[in-house]
C-alpha cells in the first residue's frame, strides 16, 4: 500500500525553465511533508518542507505547494540548473503517528543544458 | 563535520552468512533509522529508534535486527541474509526537536549483494 506516490519516474527539463515535481498521498493523517534530493552514490539530503497549516513554502529557487483537499503537493524549481539533476523523493509524516517518515518512489529529474 | 557514517559501503556475501552494517552519527541525535532503496519502490523503512534502548519496526523489518545500546550507534544485523535482501541501505538520524520527525541526515549508503 503506497501511501505516498510519485507517478512520474522521470522528468526532463531545459535549463532555465521551471521544473515541477508532483507527489500524491492517501493518508489524511499526514500533516508534515518534506522533499529530499539524491545524487548518485550519495545519501538523500533534505531540501524543503511544509507543514499542513501552510499551502506554500519558498526557499530560494525552490517552492513547495500543498493542496490538502486534493492530497497533493508539488515542488517547483525555477530557474532549473544542471546541478538540479538528481532523484527527488517526497516524504510525509504524521504529528500523531510514530514519527515514521513515509517516502515516495522518487522522480529522476534531468536538466538539459 | 556533522555526519552519518555507514560501513561497509559495498559488500557481496552469500546466503546465510551473518553480517552487520554499522551506522554511527556524531550529532547527538535521538532518532535513528534504517531504510532500503529498491528500484520502483523508493525508500522503505526497516527499523527505527527514538532513543537508546528504544527500537521499533518499520515497514519491512523481516529478516533484520537492530540494537541501540549507545546514542551514536545503530547497527543493522542480517542474521541469515537472503538474495531478496540485495539492496541499497541507508542509515539516517535526526533531532526530534526539529519537528515531528525532524530533517533526516542520511549516510552515504551501503550497497549489499547477497548471492
Amino acid at each position: 500500500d503506497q501511501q505516498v506516490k510519485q507517478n512520474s519516474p522521470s522528468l526532463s527539463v531545459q535549463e532555465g525553465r521551471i521544473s515541477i515535481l508532483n507527489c500524491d498521498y492517501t493518508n489524511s493523517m499526514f500533516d508534515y511533508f518534506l522533499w529530499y534530493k539524491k545524487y548518485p552514490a550519495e545519501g538523500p539530503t533534505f531540501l524543503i518542507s511544509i507543514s499542513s497549516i501552510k499551502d506554500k513554502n519558498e526557499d530560494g529557487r525552490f517552492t513547495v505547494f500543498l493542496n490538502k483537499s486534493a492530497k497533493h503537493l508539488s515542488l517547483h524549481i525555477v530557474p532549473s540548473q544542471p546541478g538540479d539533476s538528481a532523484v527527488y523523493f517526497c516524504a510525509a509524516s504524521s504529528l500523531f503517528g510514530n514519527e515514521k517518515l513515509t517516502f515516495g518512489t522518487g522522480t529522476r529529474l534531468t536538466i538539459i543544458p | 563535520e556533522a555526519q552519518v557514517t555507514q560501513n561497509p559501503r559495498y559488500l557481496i556475501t552469500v546466503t546465510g552468512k551473518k553480517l552487520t552494517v554499522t551506522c554511527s552519527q556524531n550529532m547527538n541525535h535521538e532518532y535513528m533509522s534504517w531504510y532500503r532503496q529498491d528500484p520502483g519502490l523508493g525508500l522503505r523503512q526497516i527499523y527505527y529508534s527514538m532513543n537508546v534502548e528504544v527500537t521499533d519496526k518499520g515497514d519491512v523489518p523481516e529478516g533484520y535486527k537492530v540494537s541501540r545500546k549507545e546514542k551514536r550507534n545503530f547497527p543493522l544485523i542480517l542474521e541469515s541474509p537472503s538474495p531478496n535482501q540485495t539492496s541499497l541501505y541507508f542509515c539516517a538520524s535526526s533531532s526530534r526537536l526539529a519537528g515531528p520527525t525532524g530533517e533526516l541526515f542520511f549516510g552515504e549508503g551501503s550497497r549489499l549483494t547477497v548471492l
Side-chain angles (χ1 to χ4, degrees):
Chain A
D1 177 28
Q2 192 73 31
Q3 296 187 66
V4 179
K5 302 177 186 177
Q6 294 175 257
N7 292 318
S8 298
S10 63
L11 177 67
S12 294
V13 175
Q14 286 287 138
E15 181 179 359
R17 299 287 183 102
I18 183 171
S19 295
I20 300 176
L21 293 90
N22 294 304
C23 180
D24 296 295
Y25 61 96
T26 56
N27 189 339
S28 58
M29 296 299 291
F30 287 148
D31 51 18
Y32 189 64
F33 304 90
L34 307 92
W35 285 93
Y36 284 81
K37 176 180 181 178
K38 184 185 178 304
Y39 292 120
E42 295 183 13
T45 54
F46 169 76
L47 189 58
I48 192 169
S49 64
I50 188 167
S51 163
S52 61
I53 62 173
K54 294 184 174 182
D55 53 21
K56 175 183 173 181
N57 188 26
E58 192 172 351
D59 183 3
R61 296 185 298 112
F62 302 91
T63 303
V64 56
F65 295 92
L66 176 62
N67 182 334
K68 287 192 293 292
S69 61
K71 295 193 178 66
H72 177 83
L73 65 153
S74 61
L75 174 69
H76 291 211
I77 306 173
V78 55
S80 299
Q81 299 174 353
D84 296 329
S85 294
V87 176
Y88 290 78
F89 292 99
C90 68
S93 70
S94 168
L95 184 63
F96 299 103
N98 60 4
E99 303 214 10
K100 190 177 82 167
L101 201 56
T102 301
F103 284 86
T105 51
T107 296
R108 181 178 301 279
L109 176 65
T110 302
I111 304 302
I112 304 163
Chain B
E1 182 191 351
Q3 59 186 8
V4 177
T5 304
Q6 298 178 223
N7 280 296
R9 295 287 312 279
Y10 302 91
L11 179 64
I12 300 174
T13 190
V14 294
T15 299
K17 186 176 181 183
K18 179 179 179 179
L19 68 93
T20 299
V21 186
T22 63
C23 175
S24 180
Q25 51 93 3
N26 62 1
M27 294 167 279
N28 202 36
H29 284 165
E30 296 86 1
Y31 182 90
M32 296 186 75
S33 183
W34 276 102
Y35 291 85
R36 60 178 287 175
Q37 183 187 0
D38 301 290
L41 297 175
L43 288 161
R44 294 180 294 167
Q45 190 178 50
I46 303 170
Y47 268 95
Y48 65 97
S49 169
M50 295 213 260
N51 217 323
V52 176
E53 302 293 356
V54 180
T55 63
D56 210 343
K57 297 177 180 178
D59 295 316
V60 288
E62 296 78 20
Y64 304 95
K65 285 176 59 176
V66 293
S67 68
R68 188 93 182 271
K69 295 186 172 61
E70 305 165 283
K71 197 172 189 178
R72 64 182 292 128
N73 296 323
F74 191 45
L76 180 70
I77 303 157
L78 286 74
E79 294 271 2
S80 182
S82 62
N84 64 12
Q85 292 178 298
T86 293
S87 187
L88 178 58
Y89 292 87
F90 290 100
C91 179
S93 72
S94 74
S95 167
R96 295 177 63 193
L97 293 176
T101 54
E103 300 161 15
L104 286 173
F105 291 81
F106 282 85
E108 293 184 304
S110 297
R111 184 166 292 282
L112 171 65
T113 301
V114 183
L115 302 175

